[in-house]
Amino acid sequence: MLSPINAILGLFSRDIGVDLGTATTLLMVRHQGIVICEPSVVAIEKKSKKVLAIGTEAKRMVGRTPGNIVAIRPLKDGVISDFEITEQMLHYFIGKVHDQFALIPRPRVVIGIPSGVTEVEKRAVHDAAINAGAREAYLIEQPMAAAIGAGLPVNEPTGSMVVDIGGGTTEVAVISLGGIVVSRSLRVAGDEMDQEVIQFARQKYNLLIGERTAEEVKWEAGSAFPMNEEKRVALRGRDLVTGLPREVEVSSIELREALSGSVGMIVEAVKTTLEQTPPELVADLMAHGIALAGGGALLSGIDQRLSYETKMRVYVADDPMTCVVRGTGLVLEELGTLKKVLVSDQHKKPLKLA
């Protein structure tokens, strides 16, 4: 039961759902929708550690900064690797949404976290949100948030399966009755695929390319399953032999082979999760299929590859990149009915729901 004061705060507070991703941070404001979708990148001055740019502006600096400026990603493999920079990034994003309304109370925040994080990592995320200006901070596991955002019946006595392929982690979970029955958190996802493209260019063509180029090529011609029409794409970088700029043309078949390592690990994670799933829930999954969420779900043919390997229907959720943040937004709107999907802080205390 909400106290009168908290009830009034809830009416006026711009409560925020956050998908704190390794590659991209998304913010959703209750009753307004997604208001921020920016890269999780911060540009800092090396000696003073002063933050110079955050988000889209900082992403444009990646690989193009002078010696005294470095563009970093404060989250690695889905967890905070630099607490202070992450806190400043969260403060910037929350303030961008909230500070223009000075008389409105500080927001409640629900943040999606990987299912495999430790209690120390949970504490780091929770404290970063509080220090960034949140009135209250709640944590929800990303596969649960993705399932809610994808419209799966997480509170029903039926099995649902979601595969959330993000930038730093791939989350595989079977959900029933508001809880995660079986899950796997794999620190292989979009970033690892980009690195495989970089290694492919280096080893086969003696060509050094950057992360941005690798990512662009991956989306343009990368795939996880044979395409109806194979593509060819230009790779531009520096020749490791001559040191001069060079361009080579590669096929989608070559890129598929380059990405086979990461894709194969994701397939194995899904298979292992299915092997550990109770038989009654497997029957439900066979009837309803497996939902794909996260930016990695947009890789061409990933649904077909998983369907071929598991012999089950696999489909990409609507707008997969925003599933987690939409899930956090739905939790904010229905804290009373969805409170059991939240996870407690490092002290294992139950979350106080206003």
Side-chain angles (χ1 to χ4, degrees), residues 210-222:
E211 291 182 5
R212 287 186 62 181
T213 299
E215 185 179 15
E216 289 167 3
V217 167
K218 176 185 70 176
W219 293 129
E220 189 174 346

Side-chain angles (χ1 to χ4, degrees), residues 201-279:
R202 176 191 288 267
Q203 292 171 5
K204 186 162 184 178
Y205 293 103
N206 283 323
L207 192 69
L208 183 64
I209 63 173
E211 291 182 5
R212 287 186 62 181
T213 299
E215 185 179 15
E216 289 167 3
V217 167
K218 176 185 70 176
W219 293 129
E220 189 174 346
S223 64
F225 201 74
M227 307 169 76
N228 293 330
E229 287 187 21
E230 300 292 353
K231 301 177 180 178
R232 298 192 70 82
V233 65
L235 268 182
R236 298 183 182 92
R238 188 175 78 238
D239 192 303
L240 289 169
V241 177
T242 66
L244 299 174
R246 185 161 68 99
E247 176 182 313
V248 297
E249 195 175 68
V250 298
S251 71
S252 54
I253 298 173
E254 291 176 290
L255 288 173
R256 185 161 58 250
E257 180 63 29
L259 296 171
S260 61
S262 294
V263 172
M265 292 179 73
I266 293 170
V267 169
E268 284 305 311
V270 173
K271 283 182 168 181
T272 302
T273 305
L274 286 170
E275 288 171 5
Q276 297 171 351
T277 303

Side-chain angles (χ1 to χ4, degrees), residues 49-66:
K49 301 294 183 183
K50 179 183 177 183
V51 173
L52 303 176
I54 295 174
T56 304
E57 187 181 348
K59 177 70 178 283
R60 286 198 289 264
M61 298 181 181
V62 172
R64 297 190 170 108
T65 57

Side-chain angles (χ1 to χ4, degrees), residues 34-201:
I34 298 169
V35 294
I36 286 178
C37 177
E38 295 195 30
S40 302
V41 181
V42 179
I44 62 172
E45 207 278 326
K46 269 188 179 178
K47 291 184 179 178
S48 65
K49 301 294 183 183
K50 179 183 177 183
V51 173
L52 303 176
I54 295 174
T56 304
E57 187 181 348
K59 177 70 178 283
R60 286 198 289 264
M61 298 181 181
V62 172
R64 297 190 170 108
T65 57
N68 64 322
I69 299 173
V70 59
I72 63 171
R73 300 207 312 197
L75 291 103
K76 182 175 176 60
D77 296 333
V79 297
I80 293 176
S81 59
D82 190 318
F83 179 80
E84 291 184 4
I85 299 298
T86 301
E87 187 178 309
Q88 291 187 61
M89 186 176 74
L90 266 177
H91 195 282
Y92 169 78
F93 287 136
I94 291 174
K96 198 171 181 180
V97 172
H98 206 74
D99 284 353
Q100 59 215 21
F101 298 89
L103 297 178
I104 294 177
R106 293 191 304 162
R108 290 182 301 183
V109 177
V110 172
I111 302 177
I113 59 170
S115 60
V117 300
T118 65
E119 297 299 327
V120 173
E121 290 164 343
K122 289 178 187 176
R123 173 66 183 269
V125 176
H126 180 274
D127 288 357
I130 295 297
N131 294 336
R135 179 171 93 249
E136 298 168 15
Y138 304 113
L139 307 180
I140 181 173
E141 292 175 320
Q142 284 177 348
M144 178 65 79
I148 294 170
L152 301 182
V154 297
N155 279 329
E156 300 297 322
T158 183
S160 301
M161 187 170 188
V162 64
V163 181
D164 178 22
I165 309 172
T169 60
T170 294
E171 306 283 333
V172 186
V174 176
I175 298 165
S176 180
L177 286 171
I180 294 177
V181 181
V182 184
S183 71
R184 282 183 67 83
S185 182
L186 187 69
R187 297 194 174 184
V188 172
D191 289 347
E192 188 71 19
M193 294 180 190
D194 295 344
Q195 289 302 317
E196 286 182 331
V197 173
I198 291 172
Q199 289 301 317
F200 157 76

